[in-house]
Amino acid sequence: MLQIRDLIWGLLFAGCAAAIQVQITPTQGEISVGESKFFLCEVVGDAKDIDWYTPSGEKILPNRPDIFVSRGDETMSTLTIYHANVDSAGIYKCVARNGDKEAQATVQVKIFQKITFQSAPSPQEFNEGDDADIVCDVVSSPPPAIIWKHKGSRIQVAKDVRFKIMVNGHLQIRGIKKIDEGMYNCEARIMARGEIDFKMIKVVVNVLPTIRARLSEVNATADSDRSALLACDADGFPEPTVTWAHNNVVLETGNKYSVSDDGSELLIKSVKKVDEGDYTCIAKNKAGEKAEEVSLNVFVKPRITYLNNQTASEFDEQVTLTCEASGDPTPTISWSFQNRVFTEGEQASWTRPDKYESLDRNIVVRTHARVSSLTLKNVLFTYAGQYLCTASNSIGQDIKQLYLEVRYAPKILGPVTVYTWEGNAANISCEVEAYPGASVVWFRDGLQLPSSNTTNMKIYNTPTISYLEITPDSQNDFGSYNCTATNVMGSESKEFILIQAEVPSSPEIEQVEPFSSTAVVKFEEPDSMGGVPIIKYRVEWRLTGQDWTGKEHYASDDMTAITIVGLKPETTYEVKMSAINGKGEGESSLPSTFKTEPVRYSFTKGEPSAPILEVKVQERGNTLKVNWIKQDDGGSPIKHYLVRYKAKHVSDWKPEIRIPHNSEYVMLSGLDWNTEYEVHVVAENQQGKSEPGVISFRTATDPTTIPDAVDGGSGLGTGAIVGILIVVFFLLLVGVDVTCYFLNKCGLLMCIAVNFCGKAGPGAKSKDMEEGQAAFTKDESKEPIVEVRTEEEQTPNQGGGPTEPNETTPLTEPEPAAADTTSMVVNLLPSTATNSVAESFSTAQSSPASESTTLTTSASSPTKAAPAKASPKNSPAAQSSPLNANTQPDVGPLVDLSDTPKAPPSSDPTPPVSEPVSPPSANADGPQSQRDTVKAPDSTQNKDLQVDGPAKDAPNALCTDSTTPAHNDGKTVKDDSTKCETEVKNATAEVKTVPNEAPQTNGNESKA
């Protein structure tokens, strides 16, 4: 755009070489009232002066505040109109001059009025029912059209006659209501410019207050320092303010009145009779005010206006007490003294109830108007004290007190005899009644106490009592003491006697009422108390000829019976009693004999007695046995016992346990270690439950607990414990590896021996033996088989009797009944028996194969062993062997003691029987025939001979150091070793066996 303009100016300049041209930008302008705008006057050609002129033709000077002219350079001048108004409209001219050359241009400026709300206040308030004129004054050029809206909708004047839009644009609402309240929209539009604007006006409708009194009448009592509360409640919009008026005077908060913050309550302080009348409650707001009357009725409570203390002397003729009272209505007056009431016309005596007439007429009451008098005749010192005068009417009452002081000479009271003993301090009390107070002096034998030579006597004085404390040193301190009291009215003396106290005499046992475990001893108090009270009773009892058992019971008032507990049923006892006072214990009564009752089973109705409990700790420290001793059943059989227990530090009891009536204990197991428990046992019969027998105990300390930890010490650190565990684990691995090396020819040590040393470890065994297969073979690939024999401790039986077992006798045999729990031991030795071994194998004593093999049997095995009857000469092996009627020995099953197959137990309890083997003469093949007849052990046999298994069903093989003789073809074979040795040849050696001989196991199989 600028390029085109420059081009045009260039052409004009070229066409008019020396002419001056002027152009105003913009060419015309419209300005809204109050807005500002500028115009640019550009000159083409040389111009010395550039001036602006107003519509009236006046040159615009630079210093005008509303119109400002500024020249930017030689070719440009700016006209700025600030805050334009209607007078600023017109044609403005820009003139450029250069000598006699001149050029000019004009611009027309139009000023228009935008929509402006001159008066549209918000909120606008109106009273309910008034004709409301909602003001909305709008100016603009041209004048706008006014539209009213309420609640988002245009007000249809034609539909609601209450609404009317006035000529000036105001909205009129006839009889405005509370529902007309809200926001109104006054909208102005100018169609020519499409201009629109609006103003939101809030309309508030005020409601005239309503008022109501909470109580139309309020009663109050005057002169009681009390307040009266008048209250009224007011409603309206806005919330009205409430004020109170009395006798046309507005009441405000002050010393007399107190008005609440909202004005609804008026508190009248210290109500008096003059406050009575009508009070006006006024509620006022912008809509107006309302008033309500509240009446205050004031009553006068009785008030005693005159009552004075009186003083008299004992034996005066009379004294009169006067009481005067006021009140409305007139109060009645009465007198009272020490719970005795006297009214007008009544006469009473101090020694008779007030409802009886006095014969001596010592008290007279008279009343006149509001004054009452009480006359006391023949005054005694007992008349002294507090008198009450009571004035009462229908409103209330008033009570005041006066004191009558009676002056009289001292009167000494209290017991005259005091008991004590040497070394025990005693107080002699001299109680004095006197008015005015008396001084007290103590005498003995005419000398005032305490004297200079009496160190064991002290005097303590109180306002009414003087104490003479005496600690007798000898018999001389006992005797008579004189107390003398003196005041202005006179004096009085009295003698007190201090007597030596004695121990009490013996109580007399009247009756002993025995029960099964208790006895009630009924007795009479001692005839002589010894001068001082009895403190305790001692009861002693015993079984005939045994020592006395005693217990002391503190004495109480009217105590005539004592109960002895912990006795045994149906037992004869002796009982005696003695009394104890401050000086000591008196003589015992004569013994009285009684016999406790048996536990009652009669049907006399009653609950049973509580059982007596005791606790026995079992082997496991957290298992305890609670025993109880049955007591009286209350005449009805015990149905059962109820047991419950809990740890003392918790509140919840364990589930209750019901125990049969014939039980005498309960086992509590699984208890927490080192915990204190409380146990309750209750016996129950048809009549009900007994009191619980209670016992407490503490379980033992957990034996697995580190002592330091139990004691709360720090113990070993975590690192130390972890280190110890690692060392133990490493040693365990080394031990297992060494064991595998010697027994199974395997492990890390075995690998080192084979790979580095080139030799096999000791105790290696063949694959067949590991699989539990045993046979007599000459194959050199097999390991030698070691015999398993039983050592015979005695010589074979001669003559009749059961045949002694030999090496072919089965080690165990199932039994139909439970066996003795004592473990049976069988010695398995490498010795030979008669006609059993032709030659033996030997190994070095250092070989681990020489270790003994131990088999253990237990009665807890699932297969029960029947008890075998054997002669005393039988060996332990014979005790576990069944008797065989056939004297021909059988071949025992071959057992691999190391790798016993773990087959499930057979359902048939009878183990298979080995086939018999022919003697040597009947079978020439010897080893071959035996190999054919010997059967491998089945799972049942292996079950009975498991080594060190959980059930421990195999017998024990015990090694001995004794020499075992045996007969073989007339030769005696002797075991020279002190240990059990199995003899093994090299793996390439031939195994030699003879018939009727049990196959031997390799020493590698002898594992415990």
Side-chain angles (χ1 to χ4, degrees):
M1 184 65 185
L2 293 176
Q3 293 176 354
I4 296 174
R5 187 185 64 186
D6 293 343
L7 181 61
I8 295 172
W9 281 104
L11 293 175
L12 291 175
F13 181 78
C16 304
I20 299 175
Q21 296 181 0
V22 178
Q23 182 179 358
I24 298 175
T25 305
T27 58
Q28 65 178 359
E30 291 186 353
I31 307 174
S32 174
V33 175
E35 291 184 351
S36 300
K37 198 168 187 178
F38 71 91
F39 299 90
L40 182 64
C41 178
E42 296 177 292
V43 178
V44 178
D46 293 333
K48 183 178 181 180
D49 298 321
I50 302 175
D51 299 318
W52 285 90
Y53 293 89
T54 65
S56 61
E58 296 179 2
K59 183 179 179 180
I60 301 175
L61 299 178
N63 57 356
R64 288 187 60 172
D66 54 341
I67 301 176
F68 181 75
V69 175
S70 64
R71 186 169 178 175
D73 54 21
E74 295 179 354
T75 63
M76 186 180 299
S77 178
T78 303
L79 171 67
T80 304
I81 301 174
Y82 290 103
H83 307 298
N85 53 38
V86 177
D87 296 335
S88 301
I91 298 174
Y92 289 81
K93 182 171 61 175
C94 176
V95 179
R97 297 183 180 90
N98 187 3
D100 55 351
K101 295 179 181 180
E102 179 178 319
Q104 66 180 8
T106 61
V107 61
Q108 185 176 3
V109 177
K110 297 180 181 180
I111 306 298
F112 68 91
Q113 176 69 52
K114 291 176 62 177
I115 295 175
T116 303
F117 291 90
Q118 289 185 336
S119 178
S122 179
Q124 299 183 32
E125 298 185 14
F126 308 95
N127 292 336
E128 188 178 28
D130 293 348
D131 291 339
D133 184 8
I134 305 175
V135 177
C136 182
D137 293 332
V138 185
V139 295
S140 69
S141 56
I146 304 299
I147 298 173
W148 285 90
K149 295 180 181 180
H150 180 50
K151 296 181 180 178
S153 301
R154 184 171 180 174
I155 296 175
Q156 302 292 333
V157 178
K159 293 183 179 180
D160 194 341
V161 297
R162 293 191 311 116
F163 293 90
K164 181 180 179 181
I165 298 177
M166 309 297 289
V167 177
N168 57 3
H170 294 185
L171 176 64
Q172 185 185 68
I173 304 176
R174 298 184 182 93
I176 192 170
K177 302 176 183 179
K178 187 66 177 177
I179 58 174
D180 297 329
E181 194 174 60
M183 298 300 296
Y184 285 78
N185 186 352
C186 176
E187 186 176 282
R189 296 183 180 183
I190 298 177
M191 300 301 296
R193 292 196 300 270
E195 185 179 356
I196 186 172
D197 198 0
F198 66 91
K199 187 77 170 179
M200 299 300 297
I201 301 173
K202 181 178 181 181
V203 175
V204 178
V205 179
N206 297 325
V207 180
L208 188 68
T210 59
I211 191 169
R212 61 187 179 277
R214 297 180 191 173
L215 292 174
S216 59
E217 290 190 4
V218 176
N219 297 326
T221 302
D223 302 326
S224 60
D225 201 23
R226 293 184 180 179
S227 302
L229 181 64
L230 311 182
C232 65
D233 297 315
D235 293 325
F237 189 85
E239 184 177 354
T241 59
V242 180
T243 57
W244 290 86
H246 178 55
N247 296 332
N248 296 324
V249 177
V250 177
L251 305 179
E252 297 179 354
T253 299
N255 295 332
K256 182 63 178 179
Y257 303 102
S258 177
V259 182
S260 61
D261 293 339
D262 60 356
S264 62
E265 296 179 348
L266 172 65
L267 185 68
I268 304 174
K269 304 174 184 178
S270 301
V271 177
K272 300 184 180 300
K273 190 66 175 177
V274 295
D275 297 326
E276 193 173 48
D278 293 333
Y279 289 79
T280 304
C281 177
I282 305 170
K284 184 178 182 180
N285 65 3
K286 294 179 180 180
E289 67 177 39
K290 286 283 186 178
E292 184 75 14
E293 298 288 338
V294 179
S295 297
L296 175 62
N297 301 319
V298 178
F299 298 92
V300 180
K301 182 181 177 180
R303 185 170 65 90
I304 297 175
T305 58
Y306 178 82
L307 189 67
N308 290 333
N309 296 332
Q310 297 290 332
T311 301
S313 297
E314 192 176 19
F315 309 125
D316 284 351
E317 183 177 350
Q318 68 177 30
V319 61
T320 300
L321 310 179
T322 303
C323 180
E324 188 174 328
S326 63
D328 187 11
T330 303
T332 59
I333 300 175
S334 62
W335 293 87
S336 62
F337 176 75
Q338 296 180 349
N339 297 326
R340 299 181 182 90
V341 179
F342 309 103
T343 58
E344 182 182 4
E346 291 187 355
Q347 298 173 347
S349 169
W350 296 114
T351 59
R352 295 178 180 270
D354 60 320
K355 292 302 180 181
Y356 291 89
E357 284 191 1
S358 171
L359 297 178
D360 51 14
R361 298 188 178 185
N362 283 334
I363 301 171
V364 178
V365 177
R366 294 186 177 90
T367 301
H368 178 70
R370 301 186 179 188
V371 178
S372 177
S373 64
L374 174 64
T375 302
L376 306 176
K377 300 180 179 179
N378 300 322
V379 178
L380 301 175
F381 79 96
T382 55
Y383 289 3
Q386 174 182 284
Y387 289 78
L388 297 180
C389 174
T390 303
S392 59
N393 62 7
S394 59
I395 306 303
Q397 67 178 15
D398 186 19
I399 301 176
K400 286 190 177 181
Q401 59 190 19
L402 66 80
Y403 291 91
L404 173 61
E405 297 178 351
V406 178
R407 299 159 60 90
Y408 58 95
K411 303 180 186 300
I412 297 178
L413 310 175
V416 297
T417 58
V418 177
Y419 290 83
T420 187
W421 56 93
E422 294 179 6
N424 182 66
N427 287 329
I428 302 177
S429 302
C430 179
E431 183 178 355
V432 179
E433 290 187 357
Y435 188 79
S439 60
V440 179
V441 180
W442 289 90
F443 296 94
R444 188 181 188 195
D445 299 333
L447 298 178
Q448 184 175 344
L449 299 178
S451 59
S452 57
N453 57 352
T454 56
T455 59
N456 58 344
M457 299 182 187
K458 297 179 182 179
I459 297 177
Y460 303 96
N461 292 319
T462 68
T464 58
I465 303 177
S466 178
Y467 298 95
L468 174 62
E469 181 187 279
I470 303 174
T471 304
D473 294 334
S474 63
Q475 187 64 33
N476 295 331
D477 293 326
F478 296 94
S480 177
Y481 292 84
N482 177 272
C483 174
T484 301
T486 305
N487 68 356
V488 296
M489 302 298 294
S491 64
E492 184 174 350
S493 297
K494 191 171 186 178
E495 295 291 330
F496 294 88
I497 301 175
L498 184 64
I499 303 175
Q500 174 85 4
E502 301 293 341
V503 296
S505 60
S506 63
E508 181 180 353
I509 299 178
E510 292 183 332
Q511 179 187 0
V512 179
E513 184 177 357
F515 298 94
S516 62
S517 61
T518 61
V520 177
V521 180
K522 298 181 179 179
F523 62 94
E524 284 188 358
E525 292 182 347
D527 295 334
S528 172
M529 304 290 183
V532 291
I534 292 178
I535 303 173
K536 299 178 183 178
Y537 288 101
R538 180 189 297 275
V539 181
E540 297 177 280
W541 65 93
R542 68 175 180 180
L543 295 172
T544 304
Q546 296 187 9
D547 295 335
W548 291 96
T549 300
K551 184 176 181 181
E552 293 182 354
H553 299 264
Y554 283 97
S556 60
D557 295 338
D558 301 327
M559 184 176 185
T560 59
I562 294 176
T563 302
I564 306 174
V565 298
L567 305 181
K568 298 180 180 179
E570 296 187 87
T571 306
T572 301
Y573 287 90
E574 289 182 325
V575 63
K576 63 180 181 178
M577 288 185 63
S578 61
I580 303 173
N581 64 9
K583 186 171 184 181
E585 182 177 357
E587 295 182 354
S588 299
S589 64
L590 295 176
S592 179
T593 303
F594 68 93
K595 184 178 182 181
T596 53
E597 298 288 336
V599 176
R600 291 187 290 117
Y601 290 96
S602 62
F603 288 88
T604 303
K605 293 184 178 181
E607 293 85 3
S609 301
I612 298 176
L613 308 182
E614 61 179 6
V615 171
K616 294 182 179 179
V617 181
Q618 304 302 300
E619 292 182 2
R620 290 282 295 173
N622 65 339
T623 299
L624 294 102
K625 180 179 181 181
V626 180
N627 296 316
W628 55 79
I629 300 174
K630 179 180 178 182
Q631 300 299 299
D632 291 351
D633 60 5
S636 178
I638 301 294
K639 295 195 302 181
H640 48 251
Y641 292 93
L642 303 176
V643 180
R644 62 175 185 165
Y645 66 98
K646 73 176 183 69
K648 281 196 172 182
H649 65 275
V650 299
S651 58
D652 296 333
W653 292 86
K654 299 290 184 182
E656 191 173 66
I657 306 173
R658 178 170 292 188
I659 306 297
H661 67 91
N662 55 353
S663 298
E664 295 181 350
Y665 69 91
V666 64
M667 297 292 295
L668 304 179
S669 60
L671 305 177
D672 295 335
W673 294 100
N674 194 26
T675 303
E676 190 169 359
Y677 280 86
E678 179 180 350
V679 181
H680 287 194
V681 179
V682 174
E684 184 174 3
N685 63 7
Q686 295 291 342
Q687 306 302 323
K689 298 179 181 179
S690 71
E691 293 293 326
V694 181
I695 194 169
S696 298
F697 60 87
R698 178 177 288 276
T699 54
T701 304
D702 189 350
T704 62
T705 304
I706 300 175
D708 288 343
V710 174
D711 296 336
S714 60
L716 292 177
T718 304
I721 295 176
V722 172
I724 293 173
L725 292 178
I726 292 174
V727 172
V728 172
F729 184 74
F730 178 79
L731 295 177
L732 182 62
L733 289 179
V734 172
V736 171
D737 189 76
V738 172
T739 303
C740 291
Y741 172 77
F742 286 106
L743 297 182
N744 297 331
K745 196 178 180 181
C746 62
L748 180 61
L749 193 59
M750 180 63 191
C751 292
I752 295 174
V754 172
N755 296 329
F756 294 96
C757 300
K759 57 182 179 180
K765 59 183 180 179
S766 67
K767 179 178 180 181
D768 291 340
M769 291 303 292
E770 292 176 355
E771 296 176 353
Q773 299 174 356
F776 293 98
T777 178
K778 294 182 179 181
D779 189 355
E780 295 179 358
S781 63
K782 302 296 182 179
E783 292 287 342
I785 300 175
V786 181
E787 296 177 345
V788 178
R789 302 176 182 272
T790 58
E791 179 185 9
E792 299 176 0
E793 297 179 356
Q794 305 292 338
T795 59
N797 289 337
Q798 304 296 330
T803 304
E804 284 195 354
N806 55 23
E807 63 275 10
T808 63
T809 303
L811 296 179
T812 59
E813 188 80 5
E815 295 177 356
D820 193 299
T821 58
T822 305
S823 298
M824 294 173 288
V825 178
V826 179
N827 294 328
L828 303 179
L829 299 175
S831 61
T832 60
T834 305
N835 298 326
S836 63
V837 175
E839 81 182 75
S840 60
F841 311 105
S842 66
T843 59
Q845 292 184 0
S846 61
S847 173
S850 63
E851 295 176 0
S852 63
T853 299
T854 303
L855 305 178
T856 306
T857 184
S858 173
S860 62
S861 171
T863 304
K864 306 298 181 179
K869 297 181 180 180
S871 64
K873 295 181 180 182
N874 289 342
S875 65
Q879 296 177 6
S880 62
S881 302
L883 297 178
N884 194 340
N886 187 4
T887 59
Q888 178 69 29
D890 295 336
V891 177
L894 181 63
V895 180
D896 185 358
L897 298 180
S898 64
D899 294 322
T900 304
K902 296 181 182 204
S906 173
S907 61
D908 185 2
T910 306
V913 181
S914 301
E915 295 179 10
V917 179
S918 300
S921 60
N923 192 349
D925 293 339
Q928 181 65 33
S929 64
Q930 183 169 348
R931 182 173 66 250
D932 295 337
T933 58
V934 173
K935 303 292 182 67
D938 62 4
S939 62
T940 307
Q941 294 167 334
N942 292 332
K943 175 188 67 178
D944 294 336
L945 294 173
Q946 289 179 359
V947 178
D948 201 21
K952 298 182 181 178
D953 294 332
N956 262 338
L958 184 63
C959 295
T960 63
D961 295 338
S962 63
T963 300
T964 306
H967 299 280
N968 184 20
D969 296 335
K971 297 179 182 181
T972 300
V973 180
K974 189 174 185 180
D975 187 3
D976 296 329
S977 175
T978 59
K979 298 181 180 178
C980 290
E981 297 182 357
T982 59
E983 303 179 282
V984 183
K985 281 188 176 184
N986 293 332
T988 59
E990 179 179 351
V991 180
K992 297 181 180 181
T993 62
V994 295
N996 298 333
E997 182 176 336
Q1000 294 174 332
T1001 62
N1002 191 345
N1004 295 329
E1005 310 304 316
S1006 302
K1007 296 186 299 181

